[in-house]
Amino acid sequence: EDDATDDGVTLDLPGLTLGRRDLMKTGAAVGVATSLAGCSFGGTGGGNGNGNGASTTDHKVPPGEHDDYYGFWSGGHSGEVRVVGIPSMRELRRIPVFQKDGAVGYGHDEQTKEVLREGGDVGSVAGHEWGDTHHPILSESGGDYDGRYLWINDKVSGRLARINLKYFETDAITDIPNMQACHGCSVQSPDTKYVYGVGEFRVPVPNDGTTDPDDADSYWSVFAALDPESMEVVWQVRVSGNLDNADSDKEGNWAFATGYNKEEAFEIDGMTHDDRDNLKAFDIEAIEAALDAGEAEEINGVPVLDGRQDSPLTSGSDPIVHYIPTPKGPHGCDVEPSGTYVTASGKLSPTVTMVEIDKIKEVDDPEDAIVGQPRVGMGPLHTTWDGRGHGYTTLFIDSQIAKWDIEQAVEAEKGSEEPVVGTIDVHYNPGHLQAVEAETTDPAGDWLVTLNKLSKDRFISVGPIHPDNDQLIAIGEDAETETGGMELVADHPVHPEPHDCVFASRDKISPNNIWDREDYEGEKEYVTEDNSRVERTGDRSVEVYTSVKRSEYGLRDFTVKEGDEVTITVTNIESSRDIIHGLAIPQYAINLSIAPQDTRKVTFTADEPGIYWAYCTYFCSALHLEMRSRMIVEPR
Ligand code: CUK
Ligand code: CUA
């Protein structure tokens, strides 16, 4: 079943030393380098059944009842965000972000087309056809989720998008200069004054063909801070090496990012040459002081500070970036709920490195800020928290989750397995895991979800492209069992490929059920039945305004002339929730979705004379099928 991977264990990474126990545990792993790089598929795990007894934890949500938590899932290279109820694991909605979606008309009306356009869907080398979403993050006020925004990165391009949680719709995308692959992201906590995005791939700056491909010094990785409201890039810091995942402290003073390829090499042997990489700690106050002192250089419209390890800005007594050595290739970067420690997980080391945040500025040797290094198992990728003093780390190669004790990990010797209080098999090859509200200072600690890259044989076959497997694990009880009380309660197949998720108690998110007209007053017209009309605005331009309700458009038909530039503006005048209407004219690729009390419009050129049915795409009433209008395009 394990796809012929049991032969030829290739642990040929230079400098990656594995003990005998590791090799035994890695018996089925092949190509550690490729299976771990960039969160791709590959490699197999050793999970073999969950080994749990009967479930005592009820995760079923009866029909008609609601979930306790909102879960926001990244959709990977589907470019979307998904909303999932916890504990039922029911998928409630998909929110398109970096690509068009006919289901909700995203990228089809002018308003959302503009969001994609702003995000650079045209005009760059190839344009952005899609995105790769990894890390959803929620806005905070006073250290808790305030339900206003969710941000999500685009790892394929250097972009960061914002979803407005009043309407669960993407309302801004920023194409970040000087960056390819915005990977880790995080918000400033306790109050979101900055949204941070890290550039993973080092790119030539400027990238205009003048760079010598072998000149490593012309390649940059930058750490970017965006304003949460304007979504403008406020500053960037250039670093040595590259950047991977990110998190922030709980007091607004620090941002952290793991980084591999300290060597600044161009291929895998070089990237994995040294035994150490580092965790970078960005001192926000020092960065702001350096900006105020005029130390930044403006590059492609953004003030950039030099935060490289040997730069003048980092050699003083108060460097803007601290480089804390970690075992090579650290991946997950997670601050625990009390804000005392930041952790860098694995990935090529079987340990989690714990740094005491208050020590970073105190110590002379950055390594002295490392206060714990529990040995958790093979291929540690990400860590989450239950708020009762435990960390939970995914073990990609072992196909397990290790639960460990935070304080014991500080007391124990570095490299000791002692802090591990239990492990559980998952199916298979977990990437991220997330416990409910684990990013707050007060995690709820009852559920955990592990996002497993491979499902192998867990579901009936659907052909060669398998679903991922998200598994729900009850963590509410600590027990002195093999699993430390963790209990696997549900498998959940998912469309490729989520990376991470974030949970908020349902009372912290309160979306509108219908649109509030005040939110677009002055920007969009509210078209009533009475003022549905056709206005000729020029020899070759026409404005069409129509209302829509069950089961009719304000205009039963409208006439334009061949060659006209036509703008159709549609208002859904319904005030009942859940009554959405569409307007589709397939010959002109028009597909609007209009929620109650909202207005959307679309502009196109009516270049083919004829008569075209405009119809509603949502089954809105018993007369839905009869619900239509006609566009008459007269020959000129
Ligand atoms: S990354 Cu995908 S499993 Cu983008 Cu947070 Cu680690
Ligand atoms: Cu409106 Cu169908």
Side-chain angles (χ1 to χ4, degrees), residues 10 49 78 80 88 110 159 161 231 254 266 309 329 342 365 368 429 437 442 507 520 542 622:
T10 52
S78 73
E80 65 194 13
S88 74
E110 296 305 321
R159 297 190 291 173
M231 287 293 281
W254 294 97
F266 297 114
Q309 216 160 353
V342 53
D365 180 353
D368 292 342
N429 301 86
E437 299 211 306
D442 188 21
D507 56 1
Y520 61 82
V542 174

Side-chain angles (χ1 to χ4, degrees), residues 355-373:
V355 170
E356 188 172 334
I357 295 171
D358 281 347
K359 282 199 167 161
I360 296 171
K361 274 204 209 183
E362 277 171 19
V363 295
D364 293 328
D365 180 353
E367 206 161 343
D368 292 342
I370 299 173
V371 296
Q373 207 160 48

Side-chain angles (χ1 to χ4, degrees), residues 376 378-383 392-396 400-402 430-433 450-451:
V376 292
M378 290 303 293
L381 288 190
H382 295 279
T383 299
Y392 297 76
T393 302
T394 45
L395 304 173
F396 183 84
Q400 285 186 325
I401 289 166
H432 273 270
L433 79 177
T450 163
L451 279 56

Side-chain angles (χ1 to χ4, degrees), residues 253-573:
N253 300 327
W254 294 97
F256 305 99
T258 47
Y260 58 99
N261 194 19
K262 172 170 114 296
E263 301 84 345
E264 305 195 338
F266 297 114
E267 23 50 53
I268 193 165
D269 287 350
M271 289 185 190
T272 55
H273 180 272
D274 296 350
D275 276 342
R276 293 298 172 100
D277 278 297
N278 46 51
L279 174 78
K280 297 172 182 71
F282 297 84
D283 181 338
I284 303 304
E285 221 173 283
I287 286 168
E288 288 173 339
L291 287 167
D292 287 347
E295 307 271 13
E297 188 190 342
E298 177 129 344
I299 298 166
N300 292 319
V302 179
V304 186
L305 291 167
D306 189 348
R308 284 177 295 169
Q309 216 160 353
D310 53 1
S311 86
L313 279 178
T314 62
S315 63
S317 58
D318 217 10
I320 60 172
V321 185
H322 296 252
Y323 290 75
I324 302 158
T326 63
K328 82 165 74 184
H331 184 62
C333 180
D334 300 282
V335 173
E336 49 76 44
S338 78
T340 312
Y341 310 110
V342 53
T343 58
S345 303
K347 92 202 127 189
L348 303 182
S349 152
T351 60
V352 173
T353 297
M354 301 170 71
V355 170
E356 188 172 334
I357 295 171
D358 281 347
K359 282 199 167 161
I360 296 171
K361 274 204 209 183
E362 277 171 19
V363 295
D364 293 328
D365 180 353
E367 206 161 343
D368 292 342
I370 299 173
V371 296
Q373 207 160 48
R375 182 191 181 89
V376 292
M378 290 303 293
L381 288 190
H382 295 279
T383 299
T384 192
W385 320 98
D386 62 11
R388 300 188 306 272
H390 303 108
Y392 297 76
T393 302
T394 45
L395 304 173
F396 183 84
I397 295 172
D398 284 341
S399 281
Q400 285 186 325
I401 289 166
K403 173 179 178 180
W404 50 277
D405 186 295
I406 297 170
E407 282 315 319
Q408 269 179 34
V410 174
E411 279 155 30
E413 238 173 88
K414 287 176 192 164
S416 160
E417 288 176 14
E418 249 161 65
V420 175
V421 297
T423 56
I424 190 169
D425 290 340
V426 298
H427 315 84
Y428 302 88
N429 301 86
H432 273 270
L433 79 177
Q434 194 68 249
V436 280
E437 299 211 306
E439 315 237 309
T440 69
T441 51
D442 188 21
D446 46 357
W447 301 105
L448 177 154
V449 176
T450 163
L451 279 56
N452 305 316
K453 299 296 182 188
L454 305 191
S455 59
K456 296 188 191 178
D457 57 354
R458 297 291 280 193
F459 308 111
I460 52 175
S461 176
V462 288
I465 294 189
H466 286 38
D468 295 13
N469 186 16
D470 291 351
Q471 290 183 303
L472 182 72
I473 293 176
I475 57 166
E477 278 174 46
D478 301 318
E480 289 191 15
T481 59
E482 200 186 323
T483 67
M486 292 183 280
E487 194 176 327
L488 176 62
V489 297
D491 275 19
H492 192 80
V494 279
H495 195 54
E497 181 196 77
H499 282 258
D500 192 12
C501 51
V502 62
F503 303 101
S505 172
R506 69 180 183 205
D507 56 1
K508 294 178 187 169
I509 310 284
S510 40
N512 273 23
N513 287 313
I514 64 172
W515 274 78
D516 182 347
R517 281 165 65 179
E518 280 180 16
D519 284 336
Y520 61 82
E521 195 105 51
E523 287 164 44
K524 301 193 279 188
E525 179 170 336
Y526 185 89
V527 185
T528 63
E529 288 178 287
D530 289 343
N531 68 2
S532 294
R533 67 203 185 272
V534 178
E535 272 177 21
R536 179 154 290 278
T537 51
D539 186 33
R540 289 191 173 256
S541 56
V542 174
E543 298 269 350
V544 177
Y545 297 89
T546 182
S547 62
V548 62
K549 67 174 191 191
R550 281 162 290 181
S551 304
E552 58 191 19
Y553 295 98
L555 296 177
R556 309 300 149 84
D557 55 56
F558 52 94
T559 303
V560 301
K561 277 209 157 57
E562 177 186 357
D564 278 341
E565 187 187 78
V566 181
T567 298
I568 304 178
T569 303
V570 191
T571 299
N572 180 345
I573 59 174

